Amino acid sequence: MTAHNWQADSLQMSISQGQTLRERQIASLENILNSKPDDNLVWKVLVFDNLGRDVISSVLRVNDLRAWGVTVHLNINAQRHAIPDVPVVYLVEPTDANLKLITSDLSRNLYSPAHINFLSSIPRPLLEDFAAQTAAANTSENIAQVFDQYLNFIVGEPDLFSLGMGRDTYWALNSAQTKDEELDAVVDRVNGLGVIPIIRCPKAGAAEMISAKLDRKLRDHILNSKDNLFSSSNQRQASPAGIASPRPVLIVLDRNVDLIPMLSHSWTYQSLVHDVLSMKLNRITVETPLDENNPTKGVTKRSYDLTTSDFFWAKNAGLPFPEVAADIDVELKKYTEDANELTKKTGAASIEDLQNESGTSSSAHHLKAAITLLPELRERKATLDMHMNILSALLQGIKDRQLDNFFQLEENIAKQTKVQILELINDDTKGKEPLDKLRLFIIWFLSTEVELSRAEMLQFEGALTKAGADAKAFAYVKRVREITRMTMMASAPSQPAPQQSDLFRGFSSISNRLTDRLKDGALGANFENLISGVKNFLPVNKDLTITKITESIMDPTSAPSSAIAKTEGYLYFDPRSANARGTLPPASQARNAGGAGMPGGLGSMGSGTGATFGQRRQGFAEAVVFTVGGGSIDEYGNLQEWAKRTSAAAGGSAAAGPRKRVVYGSTEIVNARDFVTGELIRLGGESG
C-alpha cells in the first residue's frame, strides 16, 4: 500500500493556471477516473460517499462517467455485491466509518485492485488506523494507491463553490446551544479549504479563527515538506505598495458582515432560479401543465440539469431577467432560421423528416452534411425548450409572489418609511408568500437609519404574524443589527433608478402578457414590443458590501475611501513569513472567552498580525472570497460583474493594471427561504 499526500490545492491551482474552478474540478476528476494505461480504457467501479456524490454530480453527468470507463457507480453506504477482478475507485471523506467499509469491501473481495482517493487530507491517526486494519485483514495486496485529493468542495458555477456543510452552519456558529465539540468541528471543517498564500480577514469571529488555523496549517506544511506548492518557482515575493501581487489573496469573512444578500429579491436569471425554483447541485424541478389548453388536467414535474454544456445558461445566468427573456426569442429565431436553411438544402419538409431520412430529394453530399449537423440542432432545440419552460415557471412565480414589486422596493429600500413598510405588510394583495414580506422587512430594518420604539417593533411583529410570517426571526435580527450596520457599506447607484410608479403600473401587466405568450408555446413577432417596456426596469449597477471589501483589498488605489476605512484593521496572514505563531486554542475556548458580543459568537484569537501600510496598499489580481456561515448567489454574481467591469476598464494593459479574477465560496450556498426558516427563525426562537 502506498500513501501519497498531495499538498496541492485545487483552488490555488485553478487560479494560477488560468482555468475556472469548474474546469479544474472536472480535470481533477478526469485524472482520477479516466486512467488509460497503454491508451486502453479501463472499465471500473466508482464508489463514493454523500459528499463525493455531490462533488461529482455538480460537474459531471452519467454519460461523462461512462466515457471515462465507469460502468457502475454506487454509494459506499448502500448494499453492494461483488464484482470480482474489477478495479474500484473510491472517492470519499477520510472518516473512520468509511475506512472500515473500505476494509470490509476488500476483505470480502468485492473489487480489486482499489484506488482510494480521499476528498481531503487524511489525519495521521486515521491513516495509521487504516494501515492497522489493512494488515489485520490482509488486504494490502488489493490496494493499488491511496491519495489525498483536496476536492472536498462542490462547484456550482464556473467560479462558485461550497464546502457542502449543510444549511445550518450560520446557526451553529451563532447559537449558544451549539456544543463546544460541534463548534470546533465546524471550524476545523472549514480549515480544509486549502492552500492560499496570503490571507486577510476581520478581527474576531469565525473568520479570524479559521484564518489563524489555516495559517498555522500552511506554515507547518512549508516547514515539513521539501517539495510543496510554494517551493522553487512558486516562491514569489511580496509586491511594492500599489502594485498587484502575483500571489492570490484569500479573504475570509463572517456572514454577519452583511445579511442583506441572503434575503434580497434579486432580478438576475440565476438568482431567480435559486429563489423561485430552489436549485440544488445544478438541478431544478419545474411543473408544466399536461395540456396547455386545459389546465384542469393537472401538471407534470420535469427535472432539468443546468450543466457546463448549456450554452444559454452560460451566456445568460448572470444577466437581468428581462434581457434573458429577450435573448430566448433571439435564440429561437436563430434556431428556426438554421433549421429552415438545412431542410431547404435537403428538400425535407421538416427536421423530423430529415432525421428519419425520409422525404428528401437532396444529393448524398448535402444529406451527409445535413445529418452531421442534426445532433447539434437537436441539442440546441432541447436546451431552448428547457429554458422556455424555466422562464414560464419563473414568470408564474413572479406573478404569484409579485417579485417585481419586492425587487423594485429593495432597490431603494432606505428611502421607504415606516408607514410604507407597514402598509405593505398589511396589504393582502401584495403577493401570496408571507416570507417575502418578512424578507423585505428585515432588509429595511437592517438598512434604515430610523430607530423603532418598542411599541413600533411590537406593531411590526404583530403585522407580520397576522400576514402569516414567523416573526421570531426579528428577535435575532435585532441583536445582530448593530454589528451589521458597522460593516455594511451602502452603495450609491451608478445610474438613476427607474421610477417606482412606472414599475408598479407596467411590469405586472407585462408579466401577465409574457406568461400568456410563453404558454402559447411561442414568442411571436410582437415579442420585442412586449419586452421593450421591461428593459426600463433593469437593476441599477451597485456593488454589495462584500464586493466593496474585495475591491478595497484587491485594488486599494481605486477603491473608495469609505471601503478602505472598513478594511484598514483587517488582519494579515502570510504563511511564508518568519513570524512564529503560538498554539491556537479551540473555537469553543474563544467563544467561552466572550468578546464577540453575540450569543454563541466567537471572540478574537489574538494571533493575527496587523497589516503594515505597504501590505494594506498591496493590490491583487486574483482572489478567493470565502464567507463563513452561508453564501449568496447574489454575491457571487455581483463579484463576477465587478471583476468583469474592472477588467474591461483595465483593457489588459500594464498601465491600467491586470485583469481581476475572483472565486467565491462558502460553507454552503443557501437560498433566502432556507436561511430565514432554517437559521434566523431558529436563532430568534432561542433569543426569545
Side-chain angles (χ1 to χ4, degrees):
M1 178 176 69
T2 61
H4 193 108
N5 190 10
W6 288 101
Q7 292 292 342
D9 174 73
S10 295
L11 303 182
Q12 166 67 17
M13 293 170 68
S14 69
I15 289 179
S16 61
Q17 296 182 14
Q19 295 175 297
T20 66
L21 191 59
R22 176 185 272 167
E23 289 169 344
R24 185 58 194 171
Q25 184 87 313
I26 293 172
S28 298
L29 290 171
E30 182 178 11
N31 186 53
I32 294 169
L33 298 172
N34 195 20
S35 56
K36 290 184 179 180
D38 302 322
D39 293 327
N40 293 317
L41 185 66
V42 176
W43 299 103
K44 61 189 77 69
V45 175
L46 171 63
V47 176
F48 43 67
D49 58 6
N50 290 342
L51 180 60
R53 174 201 61 204
D54 292 348
V55 168
I56 293 170
S57 62
S58 65
V59 293
L60 299 175
R61 295 295 170 259
V62 173
N63 289 342
D64 300 317
L65 297 178
R66 294 277 164 78
W68 295 344
V70 175
T71 56
V72 179
H73 52 91
L74 302 164
N75 194 297
I76 195 169
N77 296 302
Q79 183 177 357
R80 290 170 286 118
H81 302 286
I83 309 178
D85 301 322
V86 173
V88 60
V89 175
Y90 288 94
L91 189 65
V92 297
E93 291 187 273
T95 65
D96 182 60
N98 283 341
L99 295 179
K100 288 179 179 177
L101 286 170
I102 292 173
T103 301
S104 173
D105 289 351
L106 300 182
S107 63
R108 291 182 293 143
N109 295 313
L110 293 191
Y111 328 101
S112 182
H115 302 261
I116 301 170
N117 297 270
F118 295 119
L119 289 164
S120 59
S121 177
I122 182 171
R124 185 77 184 183
L126 269 182
L127 185 61
E128 292 175 353
D129 287 347
F130 184 46
Q133 292 174 29
T134 301
N138 195 27
T139 56
S140 59
E141 294 299 321
N142 296 335
I143 299 177
Q145 303 168 311
V146 178
F147 289 100
D148 286 344
Q149 294 290 357
Y150 291 90
L151 294 175
N152 59 331
F153 53 93
I154 301 163
V155 181
E157 293 292 333
D159 282 318
L160 170 72
F161 73 95
S162 78
L163 297 185
M165 292 179 62
R167 301 183 179 186
D168 61 353
T169 310
Y170 181 81
W171 170 84
L173 291 169
N174 290 278
S175 173
Q177 294 185 7
T178 306
K179 297 178 181 178
D180 288 350
E181 57 269 23
E182 293 173 351
L183 182 63
D184 293 340
V186 169
V187 173
D188 287 339
R189 172 75 167 82
V190 178
N191 188 37
L193 178 62
V195 181
I196 302 294
I198 292 175
I199 308 168
R200 300 294 305 274
C201 71
K203 294 179 180 178
E208 180 185 346
M209 185 166 304
I210 289 162
S211 299
K213 285 198 170 191
L214 184 55
D215 175 65
R216 165 60 69 190
K217 180 178 180 180
L218 303 184
R219 192 178 296 275
D220 291 345
H221 164 63
I222 292 171
L223 290 174
N224 297 330
S225 302
K226 294 181 179 179
D227 183 19
N228 60 71
L229 187 64
F230 302 121
S231 62
S232 63
S233 62
N234 288 317
Q235 290 284 0
R236 298 174 288 190
Q237 301 302 313
S239 302
I243 304 299
S245 170
R247 296 167 61 186
V249 60
L250 168 63
I251 305 170
V252 184
L253 299 169
D254 291 298
R255 183 63 269 167
N256 281 338
V257 75
D258 185 12
L259 291 180
I260 288 177
M262 304 298 293
L263 306 166
S264 61
H265 297 86
S266 182
W267 209 228
T268 64
Y269 193 22
Q270 60 187 0
S271 294
L272 280 168
V273 167
H274 274 262
D275 190 353
V276 178
L277 303 178
S278 301
M279 183 165 74
K280 180 173 176 57
L281 297 176
N282 292 4
R283 169 161 284 208
I284 57 174
T285 301
V286 174
E287 290 187 349
T288 57
L290 288 169
D291 187 342
E292 297 282 356
N293 300 317
N294 188 2
T296 59
K297 289 187 177 181
V299 297
T300 181
K301 291 186 177 181
R302 296 183 181 179
S303 294
Y304 297 121
D305 293 314
L306 299 171
T307 64
T308 54
S309 60
D310 186 336
F311 74 95
F312 191 85
W313 180 254
K315 178 182 177 183
N316 290 284
L319 295 182
F321 183 72
E323 292 185 10
V324 181
D327 193 53
I328 192 73
D329 187 49
V330 172
E331 292 293 342
L332 283 169
K333 287 178 179 177
K334 182 179 177 183
Y335 165 80
T336 302
E337 291 170 358
D338 291 346
N340 288 340
E341 182 180 353
L342 193 61
T343 55
K344 183 178 178 181
K345 284 183 178 180
T346 58
S350 66
I351 288 291
E352 289 73 21
D353 287 346
L354 183 59
Q355 193 170 324
N356 298 328
E357 298 187 31
S358 62
T360 63
S361 58
S362 174
S363 66
H365 174 73
H366 278 155
L367 191 59
K368 182 180 179 181
I371 291 178
T372 303
L373 295 173
L374 269 177
E376 188 275 332
L377 275 176
R378 284 200 306 268
E379 184 177 348
R380 198 188 338 163
K381 181 61 164 59
T383 298
L384 294 177
D385 285 345
M386 175 183 74
H387 283 281
M388 286 287 288
N389 286 330
I390 294 172
L391 285 168
S392 182
L394 291 179
L395 282 164
Q396 190 62 50
I398 292 169
K399 177 181 176 182
D400 291 344
R401 294 167 55 186
Q402 295 189 23
L403 297 181
D404 45 356
N405 292 1
F406 287 102
F407 160 71
Q408 183 62 14
L409 278 170
E410 290 168 16
E411 287 284 89
N412 298 283
I413 193 67
K415 296 180 181 179
Q416 306 303 316
T417 65
K418 289 184 283 189
V419 173
Q420 289 173 317
I421 296 297
L422 190 60
E423 285 179 352
L424 182 140
I425 295 172
N426 288 322
D427 191 341
D428 294 335
T429 66
K430 297 297 183 183
K432 298 180 180 179
E433 178 54 72
L435 183 63
D436 290 320
K437 293 182 177 181
L438 177 60
R439 288 163 59 182
L440 178 79
F441 170 70
I442 295 175
I443 291 170
W444 173 79
F445 180 68
L446 292 174
S447 303
T448 185
E449 296 294 327
V450 176
E451 297 297 334
L452 297 180
S453 66
R454 178 173 177 79
E456 288 171 331
M457 288 184 180
L458 291 174
Q459 187 179 18
F460 275 109
E461 289 181 26
L464 287 166
T465 302
K466 184 180 178 182
D470 191 335
K472 287 198 293 288
F474 186 42
Y476 177 75
V477 172
K478 283 187 289 188
R479 306 195 66 176
V480 297
R481 187 187 188 202
E482 292 307 313
I483 295 176
T484 59
R485 287 175 71 172
M486 288 188 292
T487 54
M488 282 171 49
M489 301 182 209
S491 177
S494 58
Q495 65 187 49
Q499 291 296 317
Q500 177 177 313
S501 58
D502 290 343
L503 181 81
F504 287 175
R505 283 200 307 266
F507 193 82
S508 293
S509 62
I510 291 172
S511 296
N512 294 338
R513 291 158 56 199
L514 189 53
T515 303
D516 293 340
R517 299 292 292 176
L518 282 167
K519 284 185 176 179
D520 290 340
L523 299 175
N526 293 326
F527 180 78
E528 291 185 6
N529 295 330
L530 182 65
I531 204 69
S532 61
V534 185
K535 293 181 180 178
N536 296 324
F537 310 129
L538 300 180
V540 294
N541 291 325
K542 59 181 180 180
D543 293 332
L544 300 176
T545 293
I546 283 185
T547 302
K548 286 186 168 294
I549 290 172
T550 303
E551 180 184 31
S552 69
I553 291 175
M554 291 186 71
D555 193 9
T557 57
S558 301
S561 57
S562 59
I564 294 290
K566 297 279 188 179
T567 58
E568 282 287 90
Y570 274 35
L571 298 176
Y572 185 99
F573 295 87
D574 185 352
R576 298 189 195 135
S577 70
N579 296 331
R581 295 282 185 269
T583 302
L584 300 177
S588 53
Q589 183 177 329
R591 170 174 69 177
N592 297 332
M598 286 300 302
L602 303 179
S604 175
M605 296 293 292
S607 61
T609 61
T612 65
F613 178 80
Q615 291 169 338
R616 292 197 302 269
R617 296 298 179 267
Q618 172 188 344
F620 298 89
E622 300 162 338
V624 175
V625 180
F626 186 83
T627 58
V628 183
S632 160
I633 198 71
D634 286 358
E635 286 177 332
Y636 168 68
N638 197 249
L639 281 165
Q640 298 309 308
E641 193 279 329
W642 171 80
K644 182 179 178 181
R645 185 176 73 240
T646 53
S647 296
S653 65
R659 294 179 180 273
K660 299 294 187 289
R661 169 86 183 284
V662 182
V663 172
Y664 176 78
S666 184
T667 47
E668 185 71 75
I669 304 300
V670 186
N671 66 23
R673 176 178 295 277
D674 291 333
F675 188 70
V676 174
T677 59
E679 309 206 65
L680 293 186
I681 290 176
R682 192 176 177 187
L683 288 165
E686 296 173 9
S687 299

